[in-house]
Amino acid sequence: MSKAAKTKPSAKTATKKSPTKSSPRPTVVRLADYRPYPLALDGVHLLFTLDATRTLVDCTIDYHANDGRLQKKTWLDGLNLELLSVAVDGKILDKKSYEKNDKGLWLFNLPPRGKITTRVAINPRDNRTLAGLYVANDIFTTQCEAEGFRRITFYPDRPDVMSIFTVEILSDQPVLLSNGNLVESGKRGAQNYAKWHDPFKKPCYLFALVAGDLVDETGEFVTMSGRKVTLKIWSEKQYAGRTGFALSALQRAMKWDETRFGLEYDLDIFQIVGISDFNFGAMENKSLNIFNARYLLLDKNINSDREYLGVDSIIAHEYFHNWSGDRVTLRDWFQLSLKEGLTVFRDQEYSMDNFDRASERLKQVQGLRGDQFAEDASGLSHPVRPTTYKEIDNFYTGTVYEKGAEVIRMLHLILGEEKFQRGIKHYIKQNDGRAATIEDFIESFEAANDMTLDWFMPWYSTKGTPMVAVAQRHAGKDLILDFSQSNNKAKNTLPIPLKIALFDKNGAAIKLISQHKHWHADTAVFLLQAKKDKLVFSDVPAGAVVSLNRGFSAPINLDFAQSAADLAVLLRHDDDGFNRWEAGQVLATRAILADYYQQNSDEFSSYRDGFAQLLTDQHTAPLSLAENFSLPALDELLLAVANQNKKTGADPIKLLQAVRRVRGQLASDQEEKIHARYDATKNVGAVDGRNLVPDDIGGRAINNAMLQFIVNSLQNNKSGDKKNVARVKEILSNHYFKNDNITLKKAALSLINRFSELTGDEELRDAMLSDYFDKIKKDELLFGDYIRLLSGYDAPHTLGVIEQIVATKKIFNPSGTESIDFRLDKPNELYPLLGGLAGNIPQFFRADGKGYEVFLAVVKMVDGINHHTAARLVNMFNSLPQLSAPYKSTMKKHLQKLLKQKISVQLTEMVERTLQG
Ligand code: ARG
Ligand code: ZN
């Protein structure tokens, strides 16, 4: 790529925005303003004297000036630190040689080479931001990405400052962990002592420390070059016995990274710790990954198949960061997708290689469309590489992660596996031990394959989801596809790789012949490079059916008026499992929208016919087939309606009713087949915690999908066929009480609200909730499951229940005889409470605005405890721009009201951006 295309720091933009007085960090950080840090750090030494309310941190930094000279003052970040002393080369500084403010420390006239020593005191117990060093259930733990290290000590808290860390820990806790190798441990007086040394340079966001009364399960991995690596999974004592799956998943991930990417682990030990209070899923600290315990510790009697698969992929994700993130890190936070997009791509490939490729792919796309597409259509829309931010924590988004992975997937498609791997190899070799940029990444593919890719770069800088309109016509023996691309959020065109196939009516593949210069016959990919283009296939028999954007080859929306008959062919015969599923989704969407617009049409019958065939399908892999029974998510449908009605928007409650009517109609039309399939998939395989058998998982998923239709058959049965209600109730009750398999039980639980909503009968709900309450009442990690059932219930008292939970900090069982504690400062309880409400469409979108009001009142409270989590919760308002009139203005009004209150910078940024939608 040309050097000019690189994001070089430009002197012009840098001087325009002068730093605030207190620190060099402006309120708005800009990619264009990047400047290297003036110091290079030769080594960092940390001594922690741990105490829950007053921990002492002694930090010594060996440095030299990067270019031999230093400016008059040098900046160290520091937040909420009590500075006890600061010294340079052993001499305590007097007040004139430094200046401390609420963001950090200026040091004046540092010598070109030296040693900075600071001593600070911090209070981990009171730190409920869950960033920096904090205490969770009596365990000391850290979270430093993105900017948490500045809450531990004074330091240049930026990813491009890398150093070798040596860490000493003094504590009365029995287990003391940090990154790298243990070099010494024992007693110092009455205290326990450990010293850790990490031989690899790293930025401070990868630093980790854990101290507590933990237990471990140990295993081993022998690397491809024959080195033995000790593996340890740590947990709180009460969760001993839930670490086995994590250990086996880690071993699988290590093996896979060797075979698929040729990447071998580099230290003699790798450890993972599960912590109860954690802001998100997990963190890839060098050789000491720290996880939200909910996403690490599993038990086959407690966790469903879905949770097992999820944990498998998170463990892989964090492990894969060892190369894509740790060994090669980021120059600045704008490059976040360099590690996250790539690592998500890697964990997705891992899951696809291990399970069913098609079903994994369509789950990825469901996630992308439900989450990232909605984000990209909202005021939160931003490019994969943003160019400005106020709070980087607000940019750990679907766009940076999932769309970032899609961008790499397109690159992989364009290059093919061999050239892609050559590029990766080059990238890692060139950037090992360095802080890299997205340009470094793309240049590696260019250098390794002797090609140019600057035309691909707009994917990193363009926000919005492209819409590709396609028209199909025939001229003689030619089949012509007319393409045109547009994007609501950006003007420029993008290079869009569309994988294509043609079938005849019986599903036989038709050979593709095209002379277009952007047609790649070997991969069957057409690269749409222009705003409009025309692709001609010659010698195509009449009636050919087009399969477009196969495997979701590009993250776009298609506007293609394909006939229902053609879609039915694809639904039956497409050998691309993703597109077979997609044909069903398109038919389902049309059926739902026809109902929404109250059009009389035959959309429903086309969908029903395809659906009926699926019910008796015996050849599709069960895992994939199960997904064919799911209707498009409401978020996707909102986008679809809003795209068709730019001015008027979408009515979420009417849309929900349309979905329910379609589902109910299918359920009653196909009753017999649904029950037959339900019966045929009863009791498929028990969960074996360590070996997940794809066909068994698929069988259970089909069984659960059938149950969903059985319950929803009551939708069109309201007139009160009591016998049918009783029958459904019995099936649902048995599904819960007579199955021991937790994946089945959890499916019944997830449908019990719907059953009660449809019938007004709460007896079974009370029975199931009581039973489940007894199961989870001693297990904090599972509270969330129960909480979600309460806040997700569409009943008149639900908002009151939520308010009560927050006010009393207690959650009761249905009979009110027992309670568990609720804590706002525990994300694992808070997310289900508000996530359940946001998914409870009739309550969340209430016309009187009470749903938003209750939600945002909680957000406001959380903001006083943990800004990060408060800000993230605002994502649940990203449907704002799609809403029709009264919904939109009501939601807006409540967000504006929040903005007028005293809230954090993080939360303000999210609310302001949401309102821009
Ligand atoms: N790097 C972590 C991961 O992807 C997530 C860190 C999230 N940090 C944050 N501030 N949101 O696994
Ligand atoms: Zn990650």
Side-chain angles (χ1 to χ4, degrees):
M1 128 181 11
S2 66
K3 289 284 162 205
K6 285 194 161 197
T7 36
K8 273 186 292 187
S10 100
K12 250 199 283 163
T13 45
T15 44
K16 251 193 268 168
K17 186 103 196 164
S18 73
T20 61
K21 262 193 205 142
S22 63
S23 87
R25 185 205 193 283
T27 23
V28 178
V29 184
R30 289 167 209 281
L31 169 59
D33 292 350
Y34 174 80
R35 289 285 177 286
Y37 190 63
L39 306 186
L41 307 197
D42 304 309
V44 178
H45 184 276
L46 291 161
L47 166 63
F48 287 85
T49 309
L50 292 179
D51 178 87
T53 54
R54 193 173 167 84
T55 287
L56 300 179
V57 185
D58 292 285
C59 174
T60 303
I61 300 171
D62 284 297
Y63 73 88
H64 66 269
N66 250 333
D67 54 5
R69 279 180 320 133
L70 279 180
Q71 283 154 347
K72 282 215 174 75
K73 48 186 201 171
T74 305
W75 175 255
L76 299 176
D77 298 293
L79 199 60
N80 287 343
L81 306 173
E82 184 191 337
L83 179 62
L84 300 175
S85 66
V86 48
V88 172
D89 293 329
K91 275 208 279 306
I92 299 282
L93 298 189
D94 59 28
K95 287 263 150 58
K96 273 178 293 177
S97 314
Y98 70 92
E99 185 186 305
K100 178 185 174 300
N101 60 46
D102 61 353
K103 292 192 174 142
L105 195 59
W106 288 111
L107 298 178
F108 304 133
N109 303 313
L110 283 182
R113 181 175 289 276
K115 220 187 245 313
I116 304 166
T117 311
T118 54
R119 164 172 272 213
V120 302
I122 52 180
N123 184 334
R125 164 102 49 216
D126 285 354
N127 178 5
R128 296 312 291 166
T129 62
L130 311 190
L133 178 69
Y134 63 96
V135 177
N137 289 0
D138 294 325
I139 316 254
F140 288 85
T141 188
T142 55
Q143 172 55 38
C144 296
E145 187 178 7
E147 298 182 331
F149 196 73
R150 63 189 60 187
R151 295 171 179 273
I152 294 176
T153 189
F154 288 100
Y155 199 83
D157 188 1
R158 40 188 287 172
D160 59 340
V161 176
M162 300 172 75
S163 191
I164 306 276
F165 282 66
T166 305
V167 178
E168 291 177 280
I169 311 168
L170 273 170
S171 169
D172 45 22
Q173 298 287 343
V175 177
L176 308 177
L177 309 174
S178 190
N179 317 85
N181 300 314
L182 181 65
V183 285
E184 218 185 306
S185 68
K187 284 268 176 201
R188 287 283 158 93
Q191 295 221 291
N192 295 318
Y193 170 81
K195 181 175 182 177
W196 293 83
H197 178 75
D198 180 356
F200 292 100
K201 272 167 69 175
K202 65 169 176 288
C204 64
Y205 83 85
L206 292 172
F207 165 81
L209 175 151
V210 177
D213 194 0
L214 299 162
V215 290
D216 74 307
E217 181 170 344
T218 302
E220 189 182 82
F221 181 79
V222 181
T223 70
M224 59 190 186
S225 67
R227 272 185 313 102
K228 281 193 181 144
V229 181
T230 301
L231 311 178
K232 282 180 184 291
I233 315 287
W234 295 92
S235 73
E236 290 173 28
K237 272 196 176 142
Q238 77 251 38
Y239 302 124
R242 292 193 198 178
T243 45
F245 180 75
L247 186 57
S248 69
L250 176 59
Q251 288 160 332
R252 275 197 301 280
M254 294 178 87
K255 183 88 205 151
W256 183 88
D257 216 13
E258 292 184 345
T259 38
R260 178 83 189 263
F261 276 77
L263 295 171
E264 183 179 1
Y265 187 61
D266 51 9
L267 279 165
D268 300 333
I269 183 163
F270 187 89
Q271 316 194 71
I272 307 179
V273 190
I275 296 290
S276 293
D277 305 341
F278 205 75
N279 272 342
F280 27 84
M283 179 63 210
E284 70 264 23
N285 319 296
K286 180 75 187 184
S287 75
L288 181 57
N289 287 186
I290 298 179
F291 274 56
N292 184 332
R294 196 158 178 4
Y295 302 108
L296 180 74
L297 308 174
L298 296 178
D299 182 303
K300 62 183 175 186
N301 297 314
I302 292 174
N303 299 101
S304 66
D305 295 344
R306 194 175 259 279
E307 292 170 275
Y308 270 80
L309 298 184
V311 166
D312 193 56
S313 118
I314 301 180
I315 288 179
H317 178 97
E318 305 308 335
Y319 172 72
F320 297 156
H321 268 313
N322 189 54
W323 283 100
S324 48
D326 297 3
R327 287 286 288 257
V328 180
T329 190
L330 311 176
R331 188 193 72 170
D332 56 71
W333 290 118
F334 294 103
Q335 319 295 328
L336 185 55
S337 194
L338 176 62
K339 75 178 175 80
E340 296 305 345
L342 177 56
T343 305
V344 171
F345 172 78
R346 276 150 55 69
D347 83 53
Q348 290 177 343
E349 284 295 309
Y350 164 80
S351 298
M352 288 165 95
D353 284 351
N354 282 336
F355 296 97
D356 177 71
R357 279 197 86 82
S359 77
E360 287 300 321
R361 182 62 186 143
L362 57 91
K363 274 192 272 174
Q364 292 158 17
V365 175
Q366 277 174 327
L368 184 79
R369 286 206 284 229
D371 170 29
Q372 196 277 328
F373 278 25
E375 175 174 274
D376 229 348
S378 78
L380 300 173
S381 174
H382 58 275
V384 171
R385 179 165 60 189
T387 52
T388 66
Y389 61 76
K390 285 186 186 156
E391 280 300 329
I392 188 56
D393 280 343
N394 287 337
F395 284 82
Y396 286 72
T397 58
T399 299
V400 165
Y401 276 65
E402 272 75 35
K403 188 175 177 183
E406 292 299 317
V407 168
I408 290 176
R409 185 169 298 286
M410 286 188 281
L411 194 62
H412 182 269
L413 176 68
I414 289 162
L415 297 173
E417 171 76 2
E418 201 185 313
K419 286 184 179 166
F420 180 82
Q421 289 296 350
R422 238 185 267 155
I424 292 281
K425 214 175 185 163
H426 191 276
Y427 167 65
I428 286 183
K429 197 160 163 228
Q430 293 297 310
N431 295 288
D432 191 6
R434 286 192 52 223
T437 60
I438 286 171
E439 281 74 13
D440 293 325
F441 181 69
I442 296 295
E443 279 172 9
S444 297
F445 292 91
E446 298 181 317
N449 298 302
D450 193 19
M451 65 191 297
T452 62
L453 281 168
D454 45 356
W455 54 271
F456 187 75
M457 289 305 282
W459 275 110
Y460 284 103
S461 55
T462 306
K463 63 180 178 175
T465 306
M467 173 71 82
V468 176
V470 191
Q472 170 182 359
R473 56 198 164 99
H474 295 261
K477 292 187 112 186
D478 287 350
L479 180 138
I480 303 165
L481 296 174
D482 292 300
F483 293 99
S484 77
Q485 59 167 298
S486 60
N487 181 345
N488 284 341
K489 298 273 178 182
K491 292 228 155 53
N492 61 303
T493 59
L494 287 164
I496 298 175
L498 297 166
K499 202 168 159 72
I500 301 176
L502 296 178
F503 298 99
D504 70 18
K505 289 274 177 230
N506 301 316
I510 295 169
K511 197 167 161 30
L512 301 169
I513 306 161
S514 175
Q515 307 307 322
H516 197 296
K517 64 173 177 194
H518 294 317
W519 171 250
H520 301 272
D522 47 340
T523 49
V525 169
F526 172 62
L527 197 60
L528 175 62
Q529 296 252 50
K531 196 135 211 118
K532 285 188 189 322
D533 206 345
K534 181 172 93 176
L535 178 66
V536 182
F537 289 115
S538 48
D539 212 14
V540 177
V545 178
V546 187
S547 173
L548 260 183
N549 204 27
R550 313 186 85 210
F552 208 66
S553 57
I556 55 156
N557 282 309
L558 268 185
D559 175 8
F560 183 23
Q562 201 163 19
S563 73
D566 282 7
L567 287 165
V569 172
L570 297 179
L571 184 60
R572 281 191 88 161
H573 299 294
D574 200 323
D575 56 347
D576 181 290
F578 172 80
N579 261 23
R580 193 162 60 235
W581 171 82
E582 180 75 340
Q585 295 289 298
V586 173
L587 286 168
T589 303
R590 288 184 189 173
I592 294 164
L593 296 200
D595 181 290
Y596 176 80
Y597 297 125
Q598 296 183 314
Q599 289 162 344
N600 282 326
S601 74
D602 47 13
E603 303 291 4
F604 178 74
S605 55
S606 327
Y607 178 48
R608 182 192 48 208
D609 295 347
F611 182 84
Q613 265 157 23
L614 293 169
L615 284 172
T616 52
D617 178 306
Q618 300 297 342
H619 66 269
T620 307
L623 262 180
S624 266
L625 185 62
E627 300 293 341
N628 281 288
F629 297 117
S630 63
L631 299 184
L634 198 79
D635 294 315
E636 291 179 44
L637 295 164
L638 276 173
L639 282 169
V641 174
N643 266 330
Q644 291 173 0
N645 305 276
K646 297 232 158 64
K647 291 223 175 72
T648 50
D651 179 327
I653 295 184
K654 255 181 73 188
L655 197 48
L656 175 71
Q657 285 159 350
V659 175
R660 287 178 167 173
R661 272 193 297 269
V662 167
R663 188 180 277 124
Q665 194 63 46
L666 282 175
S668 32
D669 285 7
Q670 303 299 322
E671 196 169 358
E672 253 168 63
K673 282 187 183 157
I674 287 170
H675 281 273
R677 192 88 200 210
Y678 180 73
D679 292 336
T681 44
K682 267 185 182 166
N683 308 319
V684 256
V687 180
D688 177 338
R690 287 190 190 228
N691 295 304
L692 293 167
V693 180
D695 282 358
D696 286 356
I697 301 172
R700 288 187 285 272
I702 293 173
N703 191 244
N704 288 335
M706 294 305 111
L707 181 70
Q708 189 191 18
F709 283 105
I710 290 171
V711 170
N712 281 285
S713 69
L714 298 176
Q715 170 83 27
N716 299 355
N717 187 56
K718 271 222 171 115
S719 50
D721 177 351
K722 291 228 177 80
K723 240 167 65 198
N724 198 23
V725 172
R727 179 164 82 132
V728 169
K729 188 171 172 181
E730 192 189 341
I731 293 173
L732 185 56
S733 173
N734 288 344
H735 202 95
Y736 182 80
F737 286 106
K738 299 270 163 72
N739 277 315
D740 335 301
N741 187 292
I742 189 68
T743 300
L744 302 176
K745 276 181 174 297
K746 283 197 170 180
L749 270 178
S750 75
L751 286 164
I752 189 58
N753 282 342
R754 189 76 203 113
F755 176 81
S756 295
E757 289 160 14
L758 281 165
T759 59
D761 175 349
E762 293 190 330
E763 181 198 26
L764 179 58
R765 185 171 183 272
D766 285 352
M768 277 166 57
L769 262 63
S770 300
D771 182 81
Y772 199 62
F773 185 91
D774 287 339
K775 225 175 152 67
I776 61 114
K777 65 187 175 195
K778 293 208 181 68
D779 196 335
E780 191 195 307
L781 290 184
L782 306 176
F783 288 5
D785 291 359
Y786 188 81
I787 295 170
R788 194 180 287 277
L789 289 170
L790 302 184
S791 61
Y793 188 32
D794 177 17
H797 59 261
T798 294
L799 293 179
V801 169
I802 295 173
E803 287 178 309
Q804 204 182 5
I805 289 174
V806 174
T808 61
K809 304 189 171 63
K810 290 238 172 299
I811 298 173
F812 285 92
N813 65 351
S815 55
T817 50
E818 280 183 83
S819 69
I820 51 179
D821 293 336
F822 172 82
R823 287 184 53 170
L824 269 184
D825 62 353
K826 288 188 174 277
N828 288 347
E829 294 170 31
L830 181 63
Y831 280 116
L833 183 76
L834 294 188
L837 173 55
N840 186 347
I841 304 303
Q843 294 300 322
F844 185 64
F845 290 101
R846 270 164 68 132
D848 61 5
K850 190 86 178 121
Y852 316 131
E853 192 183 311
V854 169
F855 191 113
L856 292 174
V858 180
V859 169
K860 170 76 173 64
M861 281 186 245
V862 175
D863 191 45
I865 307 169
N866 180 339
H867 323 305
H868 179 90
T869 301
R872 263 198 30 185
L873 287 164
V874 177
N875 278 310
M876 296 185 194
F877 288 76
N878 70 12
S879 58
L880 176 73
Q882 287 119 48
L883 301 179
S884 54
Y887 295 103
K888 194 178 201 160
S889 52
T890 310
M891 187 187 265
K892 258 196 174 145
K893 197 179 82 196
H894 283 89
L895 286 167
Q896 276 156 350
K897 224 162 108 189
L898 177 62
L899 214 46
K900 288 203 194 90
Q901 302 177 45
K902 207 172 160 280
I903 54 173
S904 67
V905 180
Q906 284 91 330
L907 182 56
T908 306
E909 181 182 30
M910 286 299 281
V911 178
E912 279 176 350
R913 285 171 54 215
T914 302
L915 282 166
Q916 280 160 22

